[in-house]
Amino acid sequence: MTGTTLDDYTDRYARRVRGMTASEIRALFAVASRPEVVSLAGGAPYIAALPLDAVGEMLGRLGSEHGVTTLQYGIGQGTLELRERICEVMALSGIDAACGASPEDVVVTVGGQQALDLVARLFLDPGDVVLAEGPTYVGALGVFQAAQAQVAHIPMDADGLIPEALEATIADLARAGRRVKFLYTIPTYQNPTGVTLSEERRERVLDICERAGLLVVEDDPYGQLGFEGEAPAPLRARRRDGVFYLSTFSKTFAPGLRVGWILAPHAVRDKLVIASEAQILCPSGYAQAAVATYLGTMPWRQQLKVYREVYRERRDAMLDALADLMPEGTTWTTPAGGLFVWATLPDGLDSKAMMPRAVAARVAYVPGTGFYADGTGTDTMRLNFSFPPPERIREGVRRLAGVMEQEIATRRVFGAVGGSAGRRGQAGSDVPGPDLA
């Protein structure tokens, strides 16, 4: 062995560990949580909007009155009561019994993240290719990386994933002899862009994947958080076969409970349960009871309306601040729901290089590089509007705009530093062809 390392176990790790890297978002949490920093970085829901006194009483009763069952082991698939409640929640979006949604085909997971990991464990071998929007959810990239798969990004515009680019990428990979397993997509209020796949494109994307024999993994954490009328029906409401529907209660109730689910094709359900049991034995009985009781005894539909109003106000505050304060040449998306705005910087600015100066100015965001498997996207950033109140959002944008103005002034004096290799097309702009990372 040559050289030195701070990790005495480097030579003992499994091969799949070698490519693991820290999440751009997780690395920011320690800084962004400081009270003097305006954090536009995370994706935390505004939990204070919940009726916390009533929720606290409910949680207490689950322990004191029902602890014999809620604190005990359970079954790997999740409780029937919760799976039935989950079907009620999905029915609001059009995923109902008429399109094959059944408690028997629901698997309860530890948040949406475990749902992603289970799908990857079942379907991905080292070297397989996953198709995903570019940019895409950073947590999904971590799962696919851990599975030793590669990600081919499909570009987006203001109407979401571009079907022609999807079709071309599938054809290119087939000619290269690459094995593509599935399309991973967040079609509604996408993370990180906030963009929604249009009604017309949803059918085209499903047709393309069906012709190519590809599974579709639909991630839908934000679909019930729309501000501008009803969202288009989920992909799973349109096609039963070959579509896995993943969601979570982290954005609509409580992320700390870590409860999500998969609605899977019936033939796959048992394998998902076996894989989940190998990981966690069973999901938390207490957390499941908390969610099921909340859905069964509290006005959760009304609570969704409260969240929508809170987030609409904060979205508008961010959009107004961006329009008033951002330097010329900055562009951004206008989300119709969800938690995020995706901003593109003026030519020459690098969001990752700028981050230390932003933190020094007491504002945090997530650099766009974290949402691409190949580390490009340096000219972009994700801004969250769900957690800070409107006045803090405006102050955060003011601080961020000041940092950007300083960066622009420095470039005028000293010239460009580095190249533009990290630039890539993004939602709402002209985009180049997809890349394999």
Side-chain angles (χ1 to χ4, degrees), residues 202-419:
R202 290 180 183 235
E203 293 295 337
R204 291 174 62 193
V205 165
L206 286 168
D207 287 342
I208 290 167
C209 291
E210 187 174 316
R211 287 196 300 269
L214 295 183
L215 300 174
V216 175
V217 178
E218 178 180 20
D219 200 356
D220 189 25
Y222 315 103
Q224 294 181 342
L225 296 176
F227 317 142
E228 321 253 338
E230 294 298 321
L235 304 180
R236 180 57 181 79
R238 302 159 190 267
R239 304 283 171 93
R240 178 185 307 190
D241 296 331
V243 179
F244 291 74
Y245 181 82
L246 284 53
S247 193
T248 178
F249 291 103
S250 292
K251 304 302 186 290
T252 57
F253 179 31
L257 291 174
R258 310 305 305 131
V259 178
W261 75 91
I262 307 173
L263 176 64
H266 185 74
V268 184
R269 191 252 346 251
D270 287 345
K271 289 184 174 58
L272 285 168
V273 173
I274 292 169
S276 182
E277 289 173 339
Q279 282 185 323
I280 62 166
L281 192 62
C282 63
S284 163
Y286 184 84
Q288 291 181 83
V291 175
T293 305
Y294 172 76
L295 295 173
T297 64
M298 293 193 181
W300 60 273
R301 292 174 179 84
Q302 183 61 37
Q303 185 61 42
L304 286 176
K305 294 179 182 178
V306 171
Y307 274 131
R308 290 171 190 144
E309 290 302 318
V310 168
Y311 295 155
R312 179 190 292 114
E313 179 186 26
R314 295 177 182 207
R315 186 270 319 254
D316 291 347
M318 176 164 282
L319 294 179
D320 289 346
L322 291 170
D324 292 344
L325 301 170
M326 276 288 128
E328 183 178 354
T330 311
T331 60
W332 52 86
T333 58
T334 303
L339 310 182
F340 307 109
V341 167
W342 183 249
T344 303
L345 307 182
D347 284 345
L349 296 194
D350 182 325
S351 63
K352 191 167 186 178
M354 191 172 70
M355 189 67 204
R357 292 178 282 282
V359 170
R362 296 171 299 156
V363 62
Y365 57 84
V366 184
T369 52
F371 303 96
Y372 288 100
D374 58 2
T376 55
T378 57
D379 59 329
T380 56
M381 63 173 66
R382 192 190 74 176
L383 303 174
N384 167 255
F385 54 79
S386 63
F387 192 75
E391 63 275 12
R392 290 285 283 173
I393 289 173
R394 187 171 186 88
E395 174 60 19
V397 172
R398 186 193 67 78
R399 295 177 187 180
L400 178 57
V403 173
M404 292 168 61
E405 293 282 11
Q406 290 178 348
E407 293 286 302
I408 292 168
T410 300
R411 286 180 57 84
R412 288 184 184 135
V413 173
F414 297 104
V417 179

Side-chain angles (χ1 to χ4, degrees), residues 83 87 90 96-97 100-106 236 263:
R83 288 184 279 122
C87 286
M90 291 191 294
D96 54 22
S102 163
E104 291 302 309
D105 294 331
V106 171
R236 180 57 181 79
L263 176 64

